[in-house]
Structures are given as structure tokens and as C-alpha cells.
Amino acid sequence: MNRPPHTSAPQPDPTPNMTEGWHCLHLYYRVDQGILNQIDQSTRAAGREELAAILDPEHDNAPIRIQTSIVSGHKADLQVLIMDTDPIKIDSIQQAIRSCGLGPALIPTYSFVSITEISEYVPTLDQYAAKLKQEGTDPESPAFQAKLKAYEGRLPAMNQQRIYPEFPDFPVCTFYPMNKSRVPGANWYMEQFSNRYSMMAEHGLSGMKFAGRVVQVITASTGFDDWEWGVTLWGRAPEPIKEIVYTMRFDKASAKYAEFGPFYLSYIMSPQEAIAHLKL
Ligand code: 76R
């Protein structure tokens, strides 16, 4: 096999697909009523069928995850959230929306390109044990062993959810992009790992209080889009979404270092419900 001369170790085959985790795309559209009015009735009816099929998570060739929601406010009308190992499969959804009968009336207003990941701050079992000791739990005590065992049991599922997320059956979704700041005096990237790690531990603790009310997926976008992470939150109800974001504003990792982009609040619907709701 031909290899570039500077690489001696065997490299995996080149691929646009994710080896671990998924590509993720958030798409936003606004309905242009003027254009919609100009589409003849039969094209428009067929377009509704086409769009419903494109967005159908049960469709034969559907990406691994696809979810439709209705966006509040003027930033957009429709959100489509897509995840898959294959970025071309994800892009084909975008192109199918553009080229379907309703495509001309669906004006793209925003998009966000990212990938799922397991953050470097997720404590390993050893790091978790060290944290327990630091907090004063006696390593010889049954409580220590019980906590460690519980974490060992929990960790694989938590990591699975981070890279291959299940979407919860919750009605409310919010999405926003964020950075960790690099301004002088508050440059996250100049902090020691141990400082960043303890700030993220504080962050994790404040997040855990929302278990059962908020599900979050943090997707990474450094090198992929204009912000460093995408934050997708699903709420059992609208209030915990506001509450978690507000609460985290006081965590040092956010209070000192976080910068936020635009927020998109949306309500989950099936493709048919969304199409009817948008009066397409
Ligand atoms: O100690 C731990 O277990 C920490 C686990 C954890 C990590 C590593 C964690 C927990 N997060 C991590 C990483 Mn998070 N998260 C956000 C936001 O609005 C804001 O201020 C921030 C937006 C929310 C709402 C949220 C929720 N988190 C990250 C990272 C990546 C940092 C990196 O890798 O450099 C970002 C950008 C980020 C942002 N986080 C949790 C939550 C919740 C609810 C939890 C607890 C539940 C869980 O552990 O899954």
C-alpha cells in the first residue's frame, strides 16, 4: 500500500465517518410565506409528503437520529437535529429539504456543525476515587467502596449517552453554541488542567441536580464551526431549562469563562405535526 513517506506507523484508512461517536447537525429554517403562496397546490401537497418522509426517523434510509421541532420567535420556524456516523448522510437531509417541493419556501437561517465526544473532564474511575478521598471519604470505609462501585456501574452508560445519545421523550428543547473565553485575565486555555478539572467538577455537580428534568448533549465544534461547543438541552417542562442555564451562570466555569451565542428554544413535534403547525 502507498503511504506518505513521513508516516511509519500504520494509519487507519482515511474516512469522513466518525470512528467513535457521531456527526451532529442542527438546521434552522424560516418559512417564506410569499414563496409558499407561489407554489402550486399539487407541488405543495407533494412537497408536504416529501418533507414528512425526509424528516421521518423511521424512514428506511433515515440517519441514526433525526428530530423535528418548532422554534419560538423570529430567529427560525423549524429546527431539524440530525446525528449519524456518516456526514454525507446528514448532508443529504439538508439537500433533500432544499430540493423538495417545499424547499424554495424554507429559508435557511442558521446551522451548527459538531460532533459528539466524551469530554476530557469526565472523571475516570481513578480520578473519581481521588476526588472521594479529597472530600474526606475514608478509602477503607464501606461508603467509599459503595460510591466507587456505583460510579463504575454508571460510567459506561453515561459515556454511551455522551457519544451515542438517546433523545428523551421531553417536549421542550433549547440549543445554543458556546465558547470558553480566551480574553486576558479569563483565558480558559491558560489555566492548569487541575483548575479546569475542578471547575468542571463543580459544573457537573450543579448539572446533576437537574437529573430527570433536563437531558443535555454537549457536542464539540472546535475546528468544525464558529463556536467551540453546541449545547442541546431537552426539558421535561420549560422552567427547568431556564433554571439550569441560570444556575450554571454562577458556576465558575461559566461565570468567568463562558461566552454564549444565540439561543433557539423549540418544541418537539413529529414531522407531520410540524408541517401542519407551520401551515406548509
Ligand atoms: O464531574 C462530572 O461528572 C462532570 C461531567 C460533565 C462534563 C465533563 C458535565 C456534566 N458537563 C461536562 C462538560 Mn456539562 N453542560 C454545559 C451546559 O449554559 C452553560 O453555562 C453551560 C451549558 C449545560 C447546561 C450542561 C449541563 N459541559 C461540559 C462541556 C465541555 C467542556 C470541555 O470538554 O472542555 C461544556 C461546554 C458543558 C456545558 N453538564 C453536566 C450539564 C449537566 C446537566 C451535567 C450533569 C449530568 C451529567 O453528568 O451528564
Side-chain angles (χ1 to χ4, degrees):
M1 211 200 288
N2 269 339
R3 295 209 186 280
H6 58 279
T7 55
S8 49
Q11 298 283 329
D13 287 343
T15 175
N17 293 355
M18 292 291 285
T19 309
E20 193 186 44
W22 290 335
H23 286 276
C24 176
L25 180 65
H26 292 70
L27 292 174
Y28 295 88
Y29 296 94
R30 189 173 53 72
V31 178
D32 185 313
Q33 188 63 43
I35 297 175
L36 194 62
N37 290 343
Q38 283 162 24
I39 300 175
D40 67 78
Q41 287 307 320
S42 67
T43 309
R44 195 163 151 181
R48 285 193 291 267
E49 298 297 316
E50 285 176 90
L51 188 61
I54 295 162
L55 300 177
D56 179 4
E58 308 297 328
H59 199 261
D60 276 353
N61 213 20
I64 300 172
R65 297 276 180 270
I66 180 161
Q67 187 179 62
T68 304
S69 55
I70 291 301
V71 182
S72 271
H74 279 163
K75 286 187 197 119
D77 293 314
L78 176 69
Q79 168 181 288
V80 183
L81 169 54
I82 315 163
M83 295 188 191
D84 200 277
T85 52
D86 177 358
I88 306 305
K89 191 160 185 177
I90 291 179
D91 192 71
S92 68
I93 299 290
Q94 185 184 325
Q95 305 316 330
I97 294 172
R98 178 186 53 79
S99 58
C100 80
L102 293 173
L106 294 170
I107 311 301
T109 58
Y110 191 63
S111 66
F112 197 77
V113 178
S114 58
I115 54 176
T116 63
E117 70 165 3
I118 298 174
S119 159
E120 62 188 303
Y121 306 110
V122 173
T124 60
L125 202 57
D126 288 348
Q127 285 168 324
Y128 187 75
K131 196 167 91 176
L132 289 177
K133 275 186 226 163
Q134 212 187 341
E135 286 165 2
T137 317
D138 174 4
E140 303 304 321
S141 69
F144 183 93
Q145 294 306 328
K147 280 185 182 166
L148 204 60
K149 205 116 208 90
Y151 189 69
E152 190 177 17
R154 228 171 38 237
L155 190 59
M158 276 161 50
N159 284 341
Q160 178 77 14
Q161 172 64 15
R162 287 176 176 123
I163 47 172
Y164 303 112
E166 292 285 344
F167 296 0
D169 198 8
F170 283 177
V172 191
C173 181
T174 203
F175 169 76
Y176 53 99
M178 68 177 285
N179 288 339
K180 286 277 162 64
S181 97
R182 285 181 286 122
V183 301
N187 188 335
W188 177 257
Y189 298 92
M190 299 284 279
E191 291 290 344
Q192 295 293 325
F193 179 81
S194 57
N195 287 346
R196 285 180 274 129
Y197 183 78
S198 58
M199 286 187 264
M200 291 311 292
E202 179 198 34
H203 160 84
L205 269 182
S206 80
M208 280 169 221
K209 297 187 186 112
F210 292 85
R213 288 184 292 153
V214 175
V215 169
Q216 94 285 11
V217 171
I218 308 301
T219 50
S221 45
T222 307
F224 280 60
D225 211 321
D226 303 341
W227 297 81
E228 294 168 346
W229 290 276
V231 180
T232 306
L233 306 175
W234 289 273
R236 183 175 288 280
E239 297 93 326
I241 299 263
K242 197 254 355 176
E243 207 185 318
I244 192 172
V245 176
Y246 181 72
T247 303
M248 288 191 169
R249 292 283 155 108
F250 294 94
D251 297 344
K252 196 169 179 194
S254 297
K256 186 166 177 192
Y257 298 99
E259 297 171 344
F260 299 100
F263 284 66
Y264 289 85
L265 181 74
S266 66
Y267 296 95
I268 311 300
M269 286 189 190
S270 70
Q272 282 85 358
E273 286 168 336
I275 288 164
H277 176 84
L278 294 175
K279 303 184 192 307
L280 295 175

PDB file of all heavy atoms in Angstrom, residues 1 20 27 40 70 79 89 91 111 180 196 218 228 230 243 245:
ATOM      1  N   MET A   1       0.851  -1.210   0.000  1.00  0.00           N
ATOM      2  CA  MET A   1       0.000   0.000   0.000  1.00  0.00           C
ATOM      3  C   MET A   1       0.880   1.252   0.000  1.00  0.00           C
ATOM      4  O   MET A   1       1.929   1.273   0.625  1.00  0.00           O
ATOM      5  CB  MET A   1      -0.892  -0.018   1.239  1.00  0.00           C
ATOM      6  CG  MET A   1      -2.224   0.667   0.989  1.00  0.00           C
ATOM      7  SD  MET A   1      -2.991   1.159   2.536  1.00  0.00           S
ATOM      8  CE  MET A   1      -3.481  -0.441   3.184  1.00  0.00           C
ATOM      9  N   GLU A  20     -15.458   6.922  16.451  1.00  0.00           N
ATOM     10  CA  GLU A  20     -16.209   6.804  17.706  1.00  0.00           C
ATOM     11  C   GLU A  20     -17.086   8.039  17.830  1.00  0.00           C
ATOM     12  O   GLU A  20     -16.599   9.154  17.656  1.00  0.00           O
ATOM     13  CB  GLU A  20     -15.249   6.729  18.893  1.00  0.00           C
ATOM     14  CG  GLU A  20     -15.944   6.308  20.159  1.00  0.00           C
ATOM     15  CD  GLU A  20     -15.044   6.356  21.383  1.00  0.00           C
ATOM     16  OE1 GLU A  20     -14.290   7.342  21.552  1.00  0.00           O
ATOM     17  OE2 GLU A  20     -15.105   5.415  22.172  1.00  0.00           O
ATOM     18  N   LEU A  27     -30.084  22.282  12.096  1.00  0.00           N
ATOM     19  CA  LEU A  27     -30.511  23.110  10.956  1.00  0.00           C
ATOM     20  C   LEU A  27     -31.698  23.975  11.367  1.00  0.00           C
ATOM     21  O   LEU A  27     -32.592  23.504  12.078  1.00  0.00           O
ATOM     22  CB  LEU A  27     -30.951  22.219   9.784  1.00  0.00           C
ATOM     23  CG  LEU A  27     -29.887  21.386   9.081  1.00  0.00           C
ATOM     24  CD1 LEU A  27     -30.556  20.462   8.060  1.00  0.00           C
ATOM     25  CD2 LEU A  27     -28.861  22.286   8.392  1.00  0.00           C
ATOM     26  N   ASP A  40     -47.555  25.945  -6.607  1.00  0.00           N
ATOM     27  CA  ASP A  40     -48.918  25.482  -6.956  1.00  0.00           C
ATOM     28  C   ASP A  40     -49.366  24.369  -6.005  1.00  0.00           C
ATOM     29  O   ASP A  40     -48.536  23.664  -5.416  1.00  0.00           O
ATOM     30  CB  ASP A  40     -49.001  25.048  -8.426  1.00  0.00           C
ATOM     31  CG  ASP A  40     -48.186  23.806  -8.678  1.00  0.00           C
ATOM     32  OD1 ASP A  40     -48.661  22.707  -8.333  1.00  0.00           O
ATOM     33  OD2 ASP A  40     -47.044  23.932  -9.195  1.00  0.00           O
ATOM     34  N   ILE A  70     -40.324  22.907  16.557  1.00  0.00           N
ATOM     35  CA  ILE A  70     -40.856  24.200  16.120  1.00  0.00           C
ATOM     36  C   ILE A  70     -40.213  25.281  16.972  1.00  0.00           C
ATOM     37  O   ILE A  70     -40.280  25.221  18.195  1.00  0.00           O
ATOM     38  CB  ILE A  70     -42.392  24.194  16.357  1.00  0.00           C
ATOM     39  CG1 ILE A  70     -43.052  23.222  15.398  1.00  0.00           C
ATOM     40  CG2 ILE A  70     -42.992  25.571  16.260  1.00  0.00           C
ATOM     41  CD1 ILE A  70     -42.781  23.563  13.963  1.00  0.00           C
ATOM     42  N   GLN A  79     -36.635  23.630  13.487  1.00  0.00           N
ATOM     43  CA  GLN A  79     -35.315  23.076  13.812  1.00  0.00           C
ATOM     44  C   GLN A  79     -35.295  21.605  13.413  1.00  0.00           C
ATOM     45  O   GLN A  79     -36.247  20.868  13.694  1.00  0.00           O
ATOM     46  CB  GLN A  79     -35.034  23.188  15.312  1.00  0.00           C
ATOM     47  CG  GLN A  79     -33.802  22.380  15.770  1.00  0.00           C
ATOM     48  CD  GLN A  79     -33.519  22.472  17.272  1.00  0.00           C
ATOM     49  OE1 GLN A  79     -33.079  23.496  17.766  1.00  0.00           O
ATOM     50  NE2 GLN A  79     -33.774  21.388  17.998  1.00  0.00           N
ATOM     51  N   LYS A  89     -24.487  11.376   4.805  1.00  0.00           N
ATOM     52  CA  LYS A  89     -25.882  11.013   5.062  1.00  0.00           C
ATOM     53  C   LYS A  89     -26.611  12.185   5.733  1.00  0.00           C
ATOM     54  O   LYS A  89     -27.754  12.492   5.407  1.00  0.00           O
ATOM     55  CB  LYS A  89     -25.916   9.785   5.972  1.00  0.00           C
ATOM     56  CG  LYS A  89     -27.270   9.174   6.084  1.00  0.00           C
ATOM     57  CD  LYS A  89     -27.121   7.750   6.551  1.00  0.00           C
ATOM     58  CE  LYS A  89     -28.439   7.046   6.569  1.00  0.00           C
ATOM     59  NZ  LYS A  89     -28.276   5.642   6.945  1.00  0.00           N
ATOM     60  N   ASP A  91     -25.711  15.364   5.461  1.00  0.00           N
ATOM     61  CA  ASP A  91     -25.845  16.434   4.464  1.00  0.00           C
ATOM     62  C   ASP A  91     -26.964  16.133   3.475  1.00  0.00           C
ATOM     63  O   ASP A  91     -27.620  17.046   2.974  1.00  0.00           O
ATOM     64  CB  ASP A  91     -24.518  16.639   3.719  1.00  0.00           C
ATOM     65  CG  ASP A  91     -24.546  17.913   2.902  1.00  0.00           C
ATOM     66  OD1 ASP A  91     -24.518  18.999   3.509  1.00  0.00           O
ATOM     67  OD2 ASP A  91     -24.666  17.828   1.656  1.00  0.00           O
ATOM     68  N   SER A 111     -27.211  27.287  11.080  1.00  0.00           N
ATOM     69  CA  SER A 111     -26.880  25.867  11.180  1.00  0.00           C
ATOM     70  C   SER A 111     -25.711  25.734  12.131  1.00  0.00           C
ATOM     71  O   SER A 111     -24.981  26.702  12.368  1.00  0.00           O
ATOM     72  CB  SER A 111     -26.518  25.291   9.808  1.00  0.00           C
ATOM     73  OG  SER A 111     -25.324  25.874   9.334  1.00  0.00           O
ATOM     74  N   LYS A 180     -15.371  28.758  25.535  1.00  0.00           N
ATOM     75  CA  LYS A 180     -14.691  29.100  26.775  1.00  0.00           C
ATOM     76  C   LYS A 180     -13.787  30.273  26.403  1.00  0.00           C
ATOM     77  O   LYS A 180     -13.056  30.209  25.404  1.00  0.00           O
ATOM     78  CB  LYS A 180     -13.897  27.908  27.302  1.00  0.00           C
ATOM     79  CG  LYS A 180     -14.814  26.825  27.913  1.00  0.00           C
ATOM     80  CD  LYS A 180     -15.186  27.165  29.350  1.00  0.00           C
ATOM     81  CE  LYS A 180     -16.403  26.434  29.909  1.00  0.00           C
ATOM     82  NZ  LYS A 180     -16.287  25.001  30.018  1.00  0.00           N
ATOM     83  N   ARG A 196      -9.002  23.594  35.704  1.00  0.00           N
ATOM     84  CA  ARG A 196     -10.129  23.387  34.775  1.00  0.00           C
ATOM     85  C   ARG A 196     -10.941  22.179  35.239  1.00  0.00           C
ATOM     86  O   ARG A 196     -12.171  22.195  35.232  1.00  0.00           O
ATOM     87  CB  ARG A 196      -9.607  23.181  33.351  1.00  0.00           C
ATOM     88  CG  ARG A 196      -9.122  24.484  32.713  1.00  0.00           C
ATOM     89  CD  ARG A 196      -8.619  24.277  31.311  1.00  0.00           C
ATOM     90  NE  ARG A 196      -7.210  23.893  31.299  1.00  0.00           N
ATOM     91  CZ  ARG A 196      -6.698  22.842  30.654  1.00  0.00           C
ATOM     92  NH1 ARG A 196      -7.482  22.040  29.955  1.00  0.00           N
ATOM     93  NH2 ARG A 196      -5.421  22.581  30.696  1.00  0.00           N
ATOM     94  N   ILE A 218     -23.769  17.674  24.946  1.00  0.00           N
ATOM     95  CA  ILE A 218     -22.771  18.683  24.601  1.00  0.00           C
ATOM     96  C   ILE A 218     -22.007  18.151  23.398  1.00  0.00           C
ATOM     97  O   ILE A 218     -21.372  17.104  23.480  1.00  0.00           O
ATOM     98  CB  ILE A 218     -21.795  18.922  25.782  1.00  0.00           C
ATOM     99  CG1 ILE A 218     -22.560  19.209  27.088  1.00  0.00           C
ATOM    100  CG2 ILE A 218     -20.810  20.035  25.457  1.00  0.00           C
ATOM    101  CD1 ILE A 218     -23.477  20.395  27.067  1.00  0.00           C
ATOM    102  N   GLU A 228     -17.163  26.744  20.039  1.00  0.00           N
ATOM    103  CA  GLU A 228     -16.424  25.543  20.457  1.00  0.00           C
ATOM    104  C   GLU A 228     -17.314  24.362  20.853  1.00  0.00           C
ATOM    105  O   GLU A 228     -16.898  23.212  20.743  1.00  0.00           O
ATOM    106  CB  GLU A 228     -15.483  25.912  21.612  1.00  0.00           C
ATOM    107  CG  GLU A 228     -14.406  26.881  21.124  1.00  0.00           C
ATOM    108  CD  GLU A 228     -13.590  27.526  22.220  1.00  0.00           C
ATOM    109  OE1 GLU A 228     -13.998  27.446  23.399  1.00  0.00           O
ATOM    110  OE2 GLU A 228     -12.548  28.116  21.909  1.00  0.00           O
ATOM    111  N   GLY A 230     -21.690  22.980  21.058  1.00  0.00           N
ATOM    112  CA  GLY A 230     -23.121  23.191  20.940  1.00  0.00           C
ATOM    113  C   GLY A 230     -23.765  22.561  22.170  1.00  0.00           C
ATOM    114  O   GLY A 230     -23.402  21.446  22.566  1.00  0.00           O
ATOM    115  N   GLU A 243     -33.954  27.367  34.462  1.00  0.00           N
ATOM    116  CA  GLU A 243     -33.304  27.194  35.767  1.00  0.00           C
ATOM    117  C   GLU A 243     -31.880  26.648  35.630  1.00  0.00           C
ATOM    118  O   GLU A 243     -30.967  27.124  36.307  1.00  0.00           O
ATOM    119  CB  GLU A 243     -34.165  26.237  36.592  1.00  0.00           C
ATOM    120  CG  GLU A 243     -34.036  26.437  38.085  1.00  0.00           C
ATOM    121  CD  GLU A 243     -34.842  25.368  38.830  1.00  0.00           C
ATOM    122  OE1 GLU A 243     -35.983  25.063  38.396  1.00  0.00           O
ATOM    123  OE2 GLU A 243     -34.324  24.849  39.834  1.00  0.00           O
ATOM    124  N   VAL A 245     -29.786  26.823  33.051  1.00  0.00           N
ATOM    125  CA  VAL A 245     -28.871  27.781  32.425  1.00  0.00           C
ATOM    126  C   VAL A 245     -28.549  28.901  33.419  1.00  0.00           C
ATOM    127  O   VAL A 245     -27.397  29.313  33.561  1.00  0.00           O
ATOM    128  CB  VAL A 245     -29.444  28.321  31.091  1.00  0.00           C
ATOM    129  CG1 VAL A 245     -28.537  29.383  30.504  1.00  0.00           C
ATOM    130  CG2 VAL A 245     -29.635  27.180  30.088  1.00  0.00           C
TER     131      VAL A 245
END
